[in-house]
């Protein structure tokens, strides 16, 4: 029996029930996890490459790929072992196939495809940002619809998630991602990579009003973001203080910079929430771990009367459990990919949600492909 026949012949999984092994290697974390029904984390293994990339001040793609190759088998085996699950118990294998570093994505994808082929399991390709959006489900978050703010090292997006297969981008960054701005400012301050957590820690001892950094709200009621002007303002301030030999407190720079990022993120999120009254807000991605952002969103939610949630820190930064959470709604529907699934460094989120690239539909008609 071929893999396709075996996958088609599997007993249908009752809707909402699943046991998924997920793999994530889009950037600098080699991760695998086992998640039950898209919400209960049975295991969550993350092998971080941060110390490897630190001496370069950022992620070096080729180094990341090689490191994934070294780690992936052990990480997947550990995820199964921690969950006390045998491959035959699984209902599917999920894997991030974009967006991300092409070489890094390929490592996880090849490992997941091989596993799926050997054990005759359905393969579910997942969009990395969808993973972030679903992460709060691992901590008891609500069912969709959601207004999602995704703030990570590579992305800053506001998304209206009408249902699990209808995502609408409301706004996105026109230049730097929020996490990228944190990392670049931290680097200029001489702090190690990744800079977000360092700035978060320093900011709690600083004066957020010491420096009036610019807040870019863009034209009209746009929900797009721009952080490059803010980053430049911080770099200029540091340059001036150095040339005038006037020392400034790093804590104050960190607090003032963080306040400027947070002001914009919170204001735009509140606007998006106003456009979708009654819809809960979910905040996700590495920067969602930021304490200043969480406090400010919490305050604004109370003032404006919207509900909100964010996953605990371990599910904010890259992990594979969130990839399983995003894959779970697809298991019951039979929305799976073929073994020819390829890495897509620029995978589109709305297309992914609508079922673009899905090839086997044992239980439902295929969705209409978007033009
Ligand atoms: O989601 P993530 O782990 O990877 C990407 O998909 O990019 O996000 C990593 C980003 C980095 O830029 C890092 O500096 C930032 O999230 N980050 C934070 C915090 N923790 C991680 N930024 C601000 N405050 C934090 N506590
Ligand atoms: Zn991420």
């Amino acid at each position: 029996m071929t893999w396709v026949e075996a996958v088609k012949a599997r007993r249908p999984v009752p809707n909402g029930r699943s046991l998924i092994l997920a793999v994530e290697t889009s950037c600098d974390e080699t991760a695998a996890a086992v998640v039950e029904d898209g919400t209960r984390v049975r295991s969550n293994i993350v092998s971080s490459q941060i110390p490897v990339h630190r001496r370069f001040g950022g992620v070096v793609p080729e180094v990341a790929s090689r490191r994934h190759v070294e780690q992936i088998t052990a990480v997947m085996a550990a995820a199964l072992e921690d969950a006390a699950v045998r491959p035959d118990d699984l209902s599917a294998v999920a894997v991030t196939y974009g967006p991300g570093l092409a070489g890094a994505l390929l490592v996880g994808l090849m490992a997941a495809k091989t596993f799926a082929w050997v054990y005759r399991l359905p393969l579910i390709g997942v969009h990395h940002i969808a993973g972030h959006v679903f992460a709060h489900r691992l901590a008891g978050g609500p069912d969709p619809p959601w207004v999602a703010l995704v703030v990570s090292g590579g992305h800053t997006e506001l998304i209206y998630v009408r249902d699990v297969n209808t995502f609408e981008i409301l706004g996105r960054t026109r230049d730097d991602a929020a996490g990228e701005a944190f990392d670049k400012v931290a680097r200029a301050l001489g702090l190690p990579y990744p800079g977000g957590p360092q700035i978060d820690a320093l900011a709690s001892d600083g004066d957020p009003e010491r420096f009036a950094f610019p807040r870019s709200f863009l034209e009209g009621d746009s929900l797009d973001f721009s952080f490059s002007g803010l980053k430049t303002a911080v770099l200029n301030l540091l340059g001036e203080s150095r040339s005038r030999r006037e020392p400034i407190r790093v804590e104050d720079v960190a607090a003032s910079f963080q306040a400027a990022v947070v002001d914009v993120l919170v204001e735009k999120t509140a606007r998006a929430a106003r456009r979708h009254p009654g819809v809960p807000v979910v905040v996700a991605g590495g920067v969602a771990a930021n304490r200043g952002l969480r406090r400010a969103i919490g305050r604004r939610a109370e003032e404006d009367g919207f509900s909100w949630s964010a996953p605990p820190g371990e599910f904010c930064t890259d992990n594979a459990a969130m990839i399983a959470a995003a894959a779970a709604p697809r298991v019951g529907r039979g929305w799976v990919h073929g073994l020819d699934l390829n890495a897509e460094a620029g995978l589109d989120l709305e297309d992914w949600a609508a079922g673009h690239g899905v090839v086997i539909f044992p239980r439902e008609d295929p969705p209409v492909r978007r033009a």
Side-chain angles (χ1 to χ4, degrees):
M1 202 194 280
T2 65
W3 174 80
V4 171
E5 287 162 355
V7 168
K8 283 188 169 171
R10 288 178 68 86
R11 253 183 309 119
V13 182
N15 249 338
R17 302 308 308 267
S18 61
L19 190 63
I20 297 178
L21 169 68
V23 174
E24 151 67 47
T25 62
S26 66
C27 192
D28 60 346
E29 321 279 10
T30 317
V34 175
V35 175
E36 202 175 328
D37 304 339
T39 54
R40 278 190 296 285
V41 181
R42 296 272 297 263
S43 66
N44 186 33
I45 309 287
V46 181
S47 169
S48 177
Q49 304 180 0
I50 286 174
V52 181
H53 297 285
R54 192 161 268 167
R55 66 198 157 105
F56 304 109
V59 180
V60 183
E62 177 60 21
V63 175
S65 309
R66 289 182 193 198
R67 193 67 185 193
H68 286 312
V69 171
E70 287 165 17
Q71 298 291 318
I72 189 68
T73 314
V75 166
M76 287 170 73
L80 290 170
E81 194 181 319
D82 267 24
V85 157
R86 289 169 302 134
D88 289 342
D89 303 331
L90 294 168
S91 25
V93 180
V95 63
T96 309
Y97 69 109
L101 304 169
L105 288 164
L106 278 171
V107 178
L109 188 56
M110 289 312 293
K113 287 204 276 192
T114 307
F115 194 94
W117 182 74
V118 169
Y119 294 106
R120 301 295 199 236
L121 289 165
L123 178 73
I124 300 179
V126 174
H127 191 290
H128 180 78
I129 297 303
H132 280 302
V133 168
F134 274 82
H136 67 99
R137 303 282 293 140
L138 304 166
D143 288 329
W146 307 310
V147 167
L149 171 68
V150 178
V151 268
S152 73
H155 292 263
T156 298
E157 262 146 34
L158 270 165
I159 307 155
Y160 176 50
V161 182
R162 191 180 297 279
D163 53 55
V164 290
N165 51 340
T166 318
F167 282 42
E168 294 163 23
I169 306 280
L170 302 173
R172 52 162 46 114
T173 184
R174 296 187 187 169
D175 39 60
D176 292 347
E180 195 180 348
F182 269 95
D183 294 341
K184 286 178 178 168
V185 164
R187 193 175 177 166
L189 290 170
L191 303 167
Y193 174 84
Q198 311 277 337
I199 291 194
D200 190 350
L202 286 172
S204 53
D205 294 324
D207 174 4
E209 289 171 11
R210 175 69 184 80
F211 303 106
F213 290 132
R215 275 98 168 129
S216 173
F217 290 100
L218 300 170
E219 68 286 347
D221 60 353
S222 166
L223 295 180
D224 280 353
F225 300 91
S226 166
F227 293 110
S228 69
L230 166 61
K231 174 195 67 191
T232 308
V234 178
L235 300 188
N236 287 346
L237 172 83
L238 296 177
E240 281 164 22
S241 92
R242 240 169 253 138
S243 61
R244 289 201 202 125
R245 293 170 195 276
E246 283 170 4
I248 44 179
R249 283 187 77 224
V250 228
E251 292 85 351
D252 292 342
V253 179
S256 302
F257 161 76
Q258 181 171 294
V261 176
V262 166
D263 273 1
V264 176
L265 292 176
V266 170
E267 173 59 30
K268 302 252 166 173
T269 305
R271 284 184 199 173
R274 222 176 296 142
R275 284 192 201 174
H276 297 283
V279 174
V281 166
V282 301
V283 187
V287 183
N290 186 271
R291 288 170 297 167
L293 175 61
R294 293 169 92 104
R295 264 197 309 271
I297 287 265
R299 267 199 307 269
R300 187 62 180 262
E302 215 161 281
E303 282 164 23
D304 287 15
F306 59 82
S307 68
W308 77 287
S309 62
E314 63 180 312
F315 301 131
C316 285
T317 46
D318 288 350
N319 65 88
M322 69 183 193
I323 301 304
R330 298 190 161 208
V331 174
R333 311 183 156 169
W335 279 30
V336 306
H337 287 97
L339 291 182
D340 58 350
L341 183 66
N342 206 350
E344 284 187 42
L347 182 63
D348 183 274
L349 179 61
E350 291 165 319
D351 284 351
W352 173 83
H356 163 89
V358 167
V359 293
I360 303 170
F361 303 92
R363 306 191 60 209
E364 266 184 22
D365 289 337
V368 178
R369 214 171 250 240
R370 291 160 53 93

mmCIF file of all heavy atoms in Angstrom, residues 38-54:
data_model
loop_
_atom_site.group_PDB
_atom_site.id
_atom_site.type_symbol
_atom_site.label_atom_id
_atom_site.label_comp_id
_atom_site.label_asym_id
_atom_site.label_seq_id
_atom_site.Cartn_x
_atom_site.Cartn_y
_atom_site.Cartn_z
ATOM 1 N N GLY A 38 -5.096 19.467 20.280
ATOM 2 C CA GLY A 38 -4.750 20.853 19.976
ATOM 3 C C GLY A 38 -4.636 21.754 21.186
ATOM 4 O O GLY A 38 -4.377 22.961 21.046
ATOM 5 N N THR A 39 -4.815 21.197 22.375
ATOM 6 C CA THR A 39 -4.801 22.059 23.567
ATOM 7 C C THR A 39 -3.948 21.520 24.721
ATOM 8 O O THR A 39 -3.434 22.298 25.513
ATOM 9 C CB THR A 39 -6.234 22.263 24.121
ATOM 10 O OG1 THR A 39 -6.827 20.984 24.328
ATOM 11 C CG2 THR A 39 -7.101 23.077 23.164
ATOM 12 N N ARG A 40 -3.828 20.180 24.846
ATOM 13 C CA ARG A 40 -3.098 19.631 26.000
ATOM 14 C C ARG A 40 -1.676 19.235 25.598
ATOM 15 O O ARG A 40 -1.481 18.318 24.799
ATOM 16 C CB ARG A 40 -3.836 18.415 26.579
ATOM 17 C CG ARG A 40 -4.966 18.824 27.508
ATOM 18 C CD ARG A 40 -5.532 17.633 28.255
ATOM 19 N NE ARG A 40 -6.147 16.672 27.347
ATOM 20 C CZ ARG A 40 -7.329 16.850 26.764
ATOM 21 N NH1 ARG A 40 -8.018 17.950 26.983
ATOM 22 N NH2 ARG A 40 -7.810 15.938 25.958
ATOM 23 N N VAL A 41 -0.702 19.932 26.182
ATOM 24 C CA VAL A 41 0.699 19.690 25.830
ATOM 25 C C VAL A 41 1.198 18.461 26.578
ATOM 26 O O VAL A 41 1.272 18.448 27.800
ATOM 27 C CB VAL A 41 1.568 20.923 26.187
ATOM 28 C CG1 VAL A 41 3.024 20.684 25.805
ATOM 29 C CG2 VAL A 41 1.035 22.160 25.488
ATOM 30 N N ARG A 42 1.525 17.415 25.828
ATOM 31 C CA ARG A 42 2.053 16.187 26.455
ATOM 32 C C ARG A 42 3.574 16.255 26.565
ATOM 33 O O ARG A 42 4.170 15.651 27.452
ATOM 34 C CB ARG A 42 1.638 14.972 25.616
ATOM 35 C CG ARG A 42 0.120 14.740 25.558
ATOM 36 C CD ARG A 42 -0.339 13.882 26.728
ATOM 37 N NE ARG A 42 0.260 12.561 26.653
ATOM 38 C CZ ARG A 42 -0.334 11.476 26.137
ATOM 39 N NH1 ARG A 42 -1.561 11.560 25.672
ATOM 40 N NH2 ARG A 42 0.290 10.330 26.106
ATOM 41 N N SER A 43 4.228 16.963 25.625
ATOM 42 C CA SER A 43 5.668 17.196 25.720
ATOM 43 C C SER A 43 5.997 18.395 24.863
ATOM 44 O O SER A 43 5.274 18.718 23.923
ATOM 45 C CB SER A 43 6.449 15.968 25.241
ATOM 46 O OG SER A 43 6.240 15.773 23.852
ATOM 47 N N ASN A 44 7.072 19.085 25.218
ATOM 48 C CA ASN A 44 7.447 20.300 24.471
ATOM 49 C C ASN A 44 8.959 20.478 24.597
ATOM 50 O O ASN A 44 9.451 20.960 25.595
ATOM 51 C CB ASN A 44 6.697 21.500 25.068
ATOM 52 C CG ASN A 44 6.911 22.765 24.266
ATOM 53 O OD1 ASN A 44 7.052 22.716 23.044
ATOM 54 N ND2 ASN A 44 6.956 23.905 24.939
ATOM 55 N N ILE A 45 9.686 20.044 23.563
ATOM 56 C CA ILE A 45 11.153 20.091 23.607
ATOM 57 C C ILE A 45 11.652 21.232 22.713
ATOM 58 O O ILE A 45 11.266 21.316 21.545
ATOM 59 C CB ILE A 45 11.772 18.767 23.083
ATOM 60 C CG1 ILE A 45 11.141 17.549 23.775
ATOM 61 C CG2 ILE A 45 13.294 18.782 23.204
ATOM 62 C CD1 ILE A 45 11.543 17.344 25.203
ATOM 63 N N VAL A 46 12.468 22.103 23.261
ATOM 64 C CA VAL A 46 13.070 23.183 22.475
ATOM 65 C C VAL A 46 14.570 23.167 22.708
ATOM 66 O O VAL A 46 15.024 23.339 23.834
ATOM 67 C CB VAL A 46 12.508 24.574 22.872
ATOM 68 C CG1 VAL A 46 13.141 25.668 22.016
ATOM 69 C CG2 VAL A 46 10.994 24.617 22.747
ATOM 70 N N SER A 47 15.324 22.909 21.629
ATOM 71 C CA SER A 47 16.781 22.979 21.739
ATOM 72 C C SER A 47 17.196 24.315 21.137
ATOM 73 O O SER A 47 17.139 24.515 19.927
ATOM 74 C CB SER A 47 17.402 21.814 20.974
ATOM 75 O OG SER A 47 18.781 22.027 20.859
ATOM 76 N N SER A 48 17.567 25.244 22.008
ATOM 77 C CA SER A 48 17.849 26.605 21.552
ATOM 78 C C SER A 48 19.268 26.731 21.020
ATOM 79 O O SER A 48 20.209 26.187 21.578
ATOM 80 C CB SER A 48 17.654 27.586 22.697
ATOM 81 O OG SER A 48 17.999 28.874 22.242
ATOM 82 N N GLN A 49 19.384 27.477 19.921
ATOM 83 C CA GLN A 49 20.716 27.736 19.352
ATOM 84 C C GLN A 49 21.240 29.102 19.769
ATOM 85 O O GLN A 49 22.274 29.547 19.259
ATOM 86 C CB GLN A 49 20.644 27.696 17.826
ATOM 87 C CG GLN A 49 20.095 26.419 17.247
ATOM 88 C CD GLN A 49 20.073 26.475 15.718
ATOM 89 O OE1 GLN A 49 20.460 27.452 15.114
ATOM 90 N NE2 GLN A 49 19.624 25.404 15.105
ATOM 91 N N ILE A 50 20.532 29.772 20.672
ATOM 92 C CA ILE A 50 20.908 31.151 21.016
ATOM 93 C C ILE A 50 22.394 31.282 21.360
ATOM 94 O O ILE A 50 23.086 32.148 20.812
ATOM 95 C CB ILE A 50 19.999 31.722 22.129
ATOM 96 C CG1 ILE A 50 18.632 32.045 21.535
ATOM 97 C CG2 ILE A 50 20.595 32.979 22.757
ATOM 98 C CD1 ILE A 50 17.581 32.483 22.523
ATOM 99 N N PRO A 51 22.953 30.409 22.222
ATOM 100 C CA PRO A 51 24.387 30.563 22.547
ATOM 101 C C PRO A 51 25.293 30.437 21.318
ATOM 102 O O PRO A 51 26.330 31.087 21.248
ATOM 103 C CB PRO A 51 24.655 29.422 23.535
ATOM 104 C CG PRO A 51 23.307 29.013 24.045
ATOM 105 C CD PRO A 51 22.338 29.311 22.948
ATOM 106 N N VAL A 52 24.868 29.604 20.334
ATOM 107 C CA VAL A 52 25.678 29.408 19.124
ATOM 108 C C VAL A 52 25.732 30.693 18.288
ATOM 109 O O VAL A 52 26.770 31.044 17.725
ATOM 110 C CB VAL A 52 25.062 28.276 18.257
ATOM 111 C CG1 VAL A 52 25.895 28.030 17.013
ATOM 112 C CG2 VAL A 52 24.907 27.006 19.074
ATOM 113 N N HIS A 53 24.565 31.389 18.202
ATOM 114 C CA HIS A 53 24.500 32.575 17.337
ATOM 115 C C HIS A 53 24.941 33.855 18.044
ATOM 116 O O HIS A 53 25.195 34.865 17.397
ATOM 117 C CB HIS A 53 23.071 32.746 16.808
ATOM 118 C CG HIS A 53 22.615 31.621 15.940
ATOM 119 N ND1 HIS A 53 23.059 31.467 14.646
ATOM 120 C CD2 HIS A 53 21.805 30.572 16.192
ATOM 121 C CE1 HIS A 53 22.510 30.372 14.126
ATOM 122 N NE2 HIS A 53 21.744 29.807 15.052
ATOM 123 N N ARG A 54 25.033 33.783 19.383
ATOM 124 C CA ARG A 54 25.302 34.997 20.161
ATOM 125 C C ARG A 54 26.591 35.691 19.727
ATOM 126 O O ARG A 54 26.641 36.906 19.600
ATOM 127 C CB ARG A 54 25.351 34.637 21.650
ATOM 128 C CG ARG A 54 25.334 35.841 22.542
ATOM 129 C CD ARG A 54 24.918 35.485 23.943
ATOM 130 N NE ARG A 54 23.480 35.634 24.138
ATOM 131 C CZ ARG A 54 22.823 35.158 25.197
ATOM 132 N NH1 ARG A 54 23.459 34.474 26.115
ATOM 133 N NH2 ARG A 54 21.534 35.354 25.307
#
